[in-house]
């Protein structure tokens, strides 16, 4: 396998995103039954729209709330990753 040097440090950004996402799994607001917002979105059939809208929300507030902070970018990327999941799920017929 060829190792590619990434000119814009994409590999480091991807690693930060992975660490951020892993850290969210113990931070979610979960009710007594273990239901998350994503579960409700799936039940209502609006997962793709909500992930897309939420990613846009975080991108639009970049620079407005707490300046140009990395956390808003990581949140937006996380919702884009989730959007990819739901789109792939639809393509696979699940």
């Amino acid at each position: 396998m060829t190792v590619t040097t990434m000119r814009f440090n994409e590999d480091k950004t991807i690693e930060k995103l992975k660490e951020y996402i892993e850290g969210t799994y113990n931070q979610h607001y979960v009710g007594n039954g273990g239901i998350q917002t994503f579960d409700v979105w799936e039940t209502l059939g609006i997962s793709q729209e909500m992930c897309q809208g939420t990613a846009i929300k975080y991108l639009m507030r970049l620079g407005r709330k707490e300046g140009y902070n990395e956390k808003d970018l990581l949140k937006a990327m996380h919702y884009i990753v989730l959007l990819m999941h739901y789109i792939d799920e639809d393509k696979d017929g699940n």
Side-chain angles (χ1 to χ4, degrees):
M1 179 157 98
T2 305
V3 176
T4 303
T5 301
M6 296 188 181
R7 181 175 170 202
F8 301 103
N9 297 317
E10 295 95 333
D11 53 335
K12 292 177 184 171
T13 300
I14 291 167
E15 187 57 37
K16 283 183 189 179
L17 177 60
K18 185 175 183 265
E19 289 172 11
Y20 170 78
I21 291 172
E22 287 172 350
T24 66
Y25 276 86
N26 61 7
Q27 298 174 6
H28 288 293
Y29 302 105
V30 179
N32 292 337
I35 297 172
Q36 294 188 20
T37 303
F38 296 111
D39 299 321
V40 175
W41 292 351
E42 287 176 4
T43 300
L44 295 174
I46 59 171
S47 300
Q48 288 183 28
E49 295 85 353
M50 293 304 297
C51 288
Q52 183 176 358
T54 305
I56 291 168
K57 173 187 105 169
Y58 285 114
L59 289 172
M60 288 187 70
R61 83 177 196 179
L62 181 68
R64 298 174 189 260
K65 184 177 179 184
E66 299 177 25
Y68 288 93
N69 67 79
E70 188 174 84
K71 192 163 187 176
D72 279 343
L73 290 173
L74 291 170
K75 288 178 180 183
M77 288 188 287
H78 187 188
Y79 280 99
I80 292 167
V81 169
L82 292 168
L83 176 59
M84 291 176 71
H85 163 76
Y86 290 117
I87 288 171
D88 287 346
E89 212 173 54
D90 275 359
K91 284 180 188 174
D92 294 340
N94 295 329

PDB file of all heavy atoms in Angstrom, residues 3 9 50 53-54 57 66 71 81 86 94:
ATOM      1  N   VAL A   3       1.810   5.016   0.779  1.00  0.00           N
ATOM      2  CA  VAL A   3       1.500   6.038   1.769  1.00  0.00           C
ATOM      3  C   VAL A   3       1.525   7.389   1.067  1.00  0.00           C
ATOM      4  O   VAL A   3       2.496   7.742   0.426  1.00  0.00           O
ATOM      5  CB  VAL A   3       2.521   6.020   2.940  1.00  0.00           C
ATOM      6  CG1 VAL A   3       2.239   7.151   3.905  1.00  0.00           C
ATOM      7  CG2 VAL A   3       2.494   4.675   3.633  1.00  0.00           C
ATOM      8  N   ASN A   9      -3.019  18.387   5.454  1.00  0.00           N
ATOM      9  CA  ASN A   9      -3.180  17.711   6.748  1.00  0.00           C
ATOM     10  C   ASN A   9      -4.561  17.084   6.936  1.00  0.00           C
ATOM     11  O   ASN A   9      -5.070  17.001   8.053  1.00  0.00           O
ATOM     12  CB  ASN A   9      -2.881  18.670   7.913  1.00  0.00           C
ATOM     13  CG  ASN A   9      -1.455  19.147   7.893  1.00  0.00           C
ATOM     14  OD1 ASN A   9      -0.541  18.362   7.654  1.00  0.00           O
ATOM     15  ND2 ASN A   9      -1.256  20.424   8.127  1.00  0.00           N
ATOM     16  N   MET A  50     -32.806  16.094   8.683  1.00  0.00           N
ATOM     17  CA  MET A  50     -32.357  16.655   9.955  1.00  0.00           C
ATOM     18  C   MET A  50     -30.839  16.719  10.030  1.00  0.00           C
ATOM     19  O   MET A  50     -30.285  17.701  10.529  1.00  0.00           O
ATOM     20  CB  MET A  50     -32.939  15.862  11.126  1.00  0.00           C
ATOM     21  CG  MET A  50     -34.451  15.995  11.252  1.00  0.00           C
ATOM     22  SD  MET A  50     -35.051  17.687  11.404  1.00  0.00           S
ATOM     23  CE  MET A  50     -34.312  18.186  12.944  1.00  0.00           C
ATOM     24  N   GLY A  53     -29.776  19.599   7.695  1.00  0.00           N
ATOM     25  CA  GLY A  53     -30.106  20.883   8.298  1.00  0.00           C
ATOM     26  C   GLY A  53     -29.230  21.216   9.490  1.00  0.00           C
ATOM     27  O   GLY A  53     -28.811  22.371   9.668  1.00  0.00           O
ATOM     28  N   THR A  54     -28.929  20.229  10.300  1.00  0.00           N
ATOM     29  CA  THR A  54     -28.104  20.468  11.480  1.00  0.00           C
ATOM     30  C   THR A  54     -26.661  20.781  11.077  1.00  0.00           C
ATOM     31  O   THR A  54     -26.022  21.655  11.678  1.00  0.00           O
ATOM     32  CB  THR A  54     -28.173  19.270  12.446  1.00  0.00           C
ATOM     33  OG1 THR A  54     -29.551  19.008  12.750  1.00  0.00           O
ATOM     34  CG2 THR A  54     -27.428  19.554  13.735  1.00  0.00           C
ATOM     35  N   LYS A  57     -26.657  24.297  10.043  1.00  0.00           N
ATOM     36  CA  LYS A  57     -26.756  25.164  11.222  1.00  0.00           C
ATOM     37  C   LYS A  57     -25.370  25.436  11.802  1.00  0.00           C
ATOM     38  O   LYS A  57     -25.019  26.591  12.079  1.00  0.00           O
ATOM     39  CB  LYS A  57     -27.645  24.513  12.282  1.00  0.00           C
ATOM     40  CG  LYS A  57     -27.657  25.266  13.616  1.00  0.00           C
ATOM     41  CD  LYS A  57     -28.402  24.495  14.673  1.00  0.00           C
ATOM     42  CE  LYS A  57     -27.404  23.880  15.628  1.00  0.00           C
ATOM     43  NZ  LYS A  57     -28.011  23.311  16.832  1.00  0.00           N
ATOM     44  N   GLU A  66     -18.755  32.089  19.496  1.00  0.00           N
ATOM     45  CA  GLU A  66     -17.434  31.669  19.956  1.00  0.00           C
ATOM     46  C   GLU A  66     -16.382  31.740  18.850  1.00  0.00           C
ATOM     47  O   GLU A  66     -15.418  30.965  18.844  1.00  0.00           O
ATOM     48  CB  GLU A  66     -17.504  30.256  20.557  1.00  0.00           C
ATOM     49  CG  GLU A  66     -18.424  30.144  21.757  1.00  0.00           C
ATOM     50  CD  GLU A  66     -18.542  28.732  22.297  1.00  0.00           C
ATOM     51  OE1 GLU A  66     -17.620  27.923  22.087  1.00  0.00           O
ATOM     52  OE2 GLU A  66     -19.559  28.457  22.945  1.00  0.00           O
ATOM     53  N   LYS A  71     -14.849  23.322  17.137  1.00  0.00           N
ATOM     54  CA  LYS A  71     -15.933  22.439  17.567  1.00  0.00           C
ATOM     55  C   LYS A  71     -17.139  22.525  16.633  1.00  0.00           C
ATOM     56  O   LYS A  71     -17.759  21.512  16.325  1.00  0.00           O
ATOM     57  CB  LYS A  71     -16.339  22.745  19.006  1.00  0.00           C
ATOM     58  CG  LYS A  71     -17.231  21.682  19.594  1.00  0.00           C
ATOM     59  CD  LYS A  71     -17.297  21.775  21.093  1.00  0.00           C
ATOM     60  CE  LYS A  71     -18.075  20.581  21.627  1.00  0.00           C
ATOM     61  NZ  LYS A  71     -18.101  20.545  23.066  1.00  0.00           N
ATOM     62  N   VAL A  81     -21.242  13.071   8.226  1.00  0.00           N
ATOM     63  CA  VAL A  81     -20.955  11.626   8.274  1.00  0.00           C
ATOM     64  C   VAL A  81     -22.249  10.855   8.525  1.00  0.00           C
ATOM     65  O   VAL A  81     -22.519   9.829   7.872  1.00  0.00           O
ATOM     66  CB  VAL A  81     -19.897  11.312   9.361  1.00  0.00           C
ATOM     67  CG1 VAL A  81     -19.793   9.819   9.618  1.00  0.00           C
ATOM     68  CG2 VAL A  81     -18.539  11.886   8.968  1.00  0.00           C
ATOM     69  N   TYR A  86     -27.131   7.625   6.465  1.00  0.00           N
ATOM     70  CA  TYR A  86     -28.549   7.480   6.127  1.00  0.00           C
ATOM     71  C   TYR A  86     -28.776   7.388   4.621  1.00  0.00           C
ATOM     72  O   TYR A  86     -29.644   6.643   4.169  1.00  0.00           O
ATOM     73  CB  TYR A  86     -29.363   8.626   6.739  1.00  0.00           C
ATOM     74  CG  TYR A  86     -29.459   8.516   8.238  1.00  0.00           C
ATOM     75  CD1 TYR A  86     -28.924   9.496   9.065  1.00  0.00           C
ATOM     76  CD2 TYR A  86     -30.073   7.424   8.842  1.00  0.00           C
ATOM     77  CE1 TYR A  86     -29.002   9.396  10.450  1.00  0.00           C
ATOM     78  CE2 TYR A  86     -30.142   7.312  10.229  1.00  0.00           C
ATOM     79  CZ  TYR A  86     -29.609   8.298  11.019  1.00  0.00           C
ATOM     80  OH  TYR A  86     -29.681   8.184  12.383  1.00  0.00           O
ATOM     81  N   ASN A  94     -32.241  -0.497   3.326  1.00  0.00           N
ATOM     82  CA  ASN A  94     -32.478  -0.814   4.751  1.00  0.00           C
ATOM     83  C   ASN A  94     -33.414   0.177   5.377  1.00  0.00           C
ATOM     84  O   ASN A  94     -33.581   1.245   5.109  1.00  0.00           O
ATOM     85  CB  ASN A  94     -31.148  -0.822   5.513  1.00  0.00           C
ATOM     86  CG  ASN A  94     -30.244  -1.938   5.044  1.00  0.00           C
ATOM     87  OD1 ASN A  94     -30.708  -2.980   4.627  1.00  0.00           O
ATOM     88  ND2 ASN A  94     -28.956  -1.704   5.099  1.00  0.00           N
TER      89      ASN A  94
END
